[in-house]
Amino acid sequence: MKKNIKTLSGQIALVTGANSGIGKAVAIALAEAGAKVVVNYVANEHAAEEVLKIIRDKGGEAVALHADVSNEKQVQAMFAQLFKLYGTIDILINNAGLQRDAKFWEMSLEDWEFVLRVNLTGQFLCAREAVKEFLRRGLRPEVSKACGKIICMSSVHEIIPWAGHVNYAASKGGVRLMMQTMSQELAPYKIRVNSVGPGAIKTPINESVWSTPSAEQELLKLIPYKRVGEPDDIGKAVVWLASDDSDYVNGATLFVDGGMTLYPGFATGG
Ligand code: BGC
C-alpha cells in the first residue's frame, strides 16, 4: 500500500516572481503537492499576499519575501531570511522574467540590459545561492532522492527566434545553456537542473495576443494543439520536474507548448 504522503511533503521551495502569471500557478501547485513555499515578489506586495491566501485556504504553507532577483545583495538577503524561516531549501523555481519589446534597431541599451539582468543574471544569482546551500547541507533522503532541484523557467524562445524581442530571446537562449551547463557540473552532486519551456500561456505578459477573439485566432495558427495554455499547465509540469518521479531527468527542457516548437508552418507548407 502507498502511504498517503504528498509528493513534495517536507520540502521547501522558493518561486521567484510568484505573485502573478506562471509563478503564481507554480507556487500554488507546489503547495498543493505538499511543499512549503516562499513566494518571491519585487513589486505589488498585495498580489503576493493574495497568493499566500489562496495557498493557506487550501491548507498549504507559504510566506512572501521581497527581492529584486537581479540585485545580488537583495537575493542574498532573501536567502538569509528564507534560511531563518525554514532552515534550508530543496527546490528553486527560477521563474521571474519579463519582456521589454522593441524593433531591433530601436532597442535601447537600457531595455537590452534590463531584460538580460532579470531573466538571465537573476536566474544565475538565485541558483548560485541555492546550490551553495544544497552542497553545504547534503542529501536529505527522507524528503528526496536528489540533493536539490532547480527548475529554470525558460520559453519556446530558447530555440525559436523572435523578431521584435531580441533581448528576450537572447535571455532565454542564455537560460538554455546556463541550465545545461549547471546540470552537467552539478549532477555528480545529485543536484538536478532542468527547464520548463512554456509556449503561449494566458498570463499578463502576453495578454494582447489572447484577450481578443481575433488575436487569439492568429495565435492559434502557431499552436498545433489549438488551445492557448493555462498557467496550471505549467504548474503541473513543474511539480513533476521537482519530484522524485523525474529523478533521472537532468539538463532537459520540457516544452509545455501545445506543439508550438513543431514548426507549425510546415503542417501545410514546405
Ligand atoms: C512569451 C509570451 C509568448 C510565448 C509564445 C513566451 O515566452 O513571454 O509573450 O506569447 O512565449 O510566443
Side-chain angles (χ1 to χ4, degrees):
M1 283 284 280
K2 235 182 158 185
K3 277 184 278 166
N4 189 21
I5 296 179
K6 292 182 174 175
T7 350
L8 302 178
S9 284
Q11 300 195 48
I12 294 116
L14 166 63
V15 185
T16 64
N19 57 343
S20 76
I22 287 175
K24 176 178 177 177
V26 166
I28 295 167
L30 290 170
E32 281 178 329
K36 293 180 180 126
V37 178
V38 176
V39 171
N40 157 261
Y41 66 97
V42 64
N44 199 349
E45 185 175 1
H46 179 69
E49 297 290 339
E50 289 281 299
V51 179
L52 298 187
K53 188 174 174 335
I54 294 169
I55 290 175
R56 289 170 185 161
D57 285 351
K58 289 171 182 272
E61 190 174 333
V63 295
L65 290 181
H66 173 270
D68 171 353
V69 296
S70 70
N71 181 309
E72 185 178 31
K73 288 216 159 56
Q74 289 187 30
V75 167
Q76 287 170 339
M78 170 174 66
F79 273 85
Q81 270 180 290
L82 186 157
F83 298 146
K84 241 189 206 162
L85 284 166
Y86 288 130
T88 190
I89 183 171
D90 303 283
I91 300 163
L92 167 67
I93 315 298
N94 255 337
N95 169 78
L98 43 78
Q99 290 180 216
R100 286 282 184 282
D101 310 326
K103 287 193 175 107
F104 177 74
W105 59 94
E106 287 170 359
M107 183 163 290
S108 64
L109 176 60
E110 197 189 334
D111 280 353
W112 168 266
E113 286 182 342
F114 184 52
V115 169
L116 267 290
R117 252 199 332 269
V118 174
N119 295 11
L120 184 57
T121 307
Q123 292 208 11
F124 160 71
L125 289 172
C126 293
R128 195 182 55 177
E129 296 313 303
V131 167
K132 280 191 227 168
E133 171 60 13
F134 297 156
L135 295 174
R136 182 202 66 78
R137 187 205 60 221
L139 198 66
R140 296 208 293 160
E142 68 280 14
V143 296
S144 180
K145 289 180 182 165
C147 178
K149 279 91 46 150
I150 296 177
I151 294 154
C152 299
M153 201 53 67
S154 186
S155 165
V156 292
H157 299 295
E158 72 168 42
I159 55 169
I160 302 179
W162 201 16
H165 306 77
V166 70
N167 47 0
Y168 185 83
S171 74
K172 296 301 183 179
V175 165
R176 180 179 173 85
L177 268 174
M178 180 185 71
M179 177 280 288
Q180 290 176 331
T181 302
M182 283 171 55
S183 182
Q184 188 192 62
E185 186 166 344
L186 300 169
Y189 301 94
K190 299 210 78 62
I191 296 169
R192 292 198 299 117
V193 190
N194 292 287
S195 287
V196 171
I201 308 295
K202 288 189 180 174
T203 72
I205 208 174
N206 58 359
E207 206 168 336
S208 63
V209 294
W210 55 262
S211 56
T212 67
S214 60
E216 187 166 355
Q217 277 316 308
E218 273 307 297
L219 181 59
L220 288 177
K221 290 182 187 163
L222 300 175
I223 308 173
Y225 203 55
K226 299 297 170 211
R227 86 168 164 85
V228 182
E230 298 290 340
D232 192 43
D233 288 316
I234 307 302
K236 287 176 182 144
V238 168
V239 167
W240 181 72
L241 271 180
S243 77
D244 282 352
D245 290 343
S246 61
D247 189 54
Y248 208 49
V249 181
N250 296 265
T253 296
L254 174 56
F255 289 108
V256 182
D257 67 349
M260 194 175 240
T261 40
L262 300 173
Y263 297 94
F266 278 80
T268 49

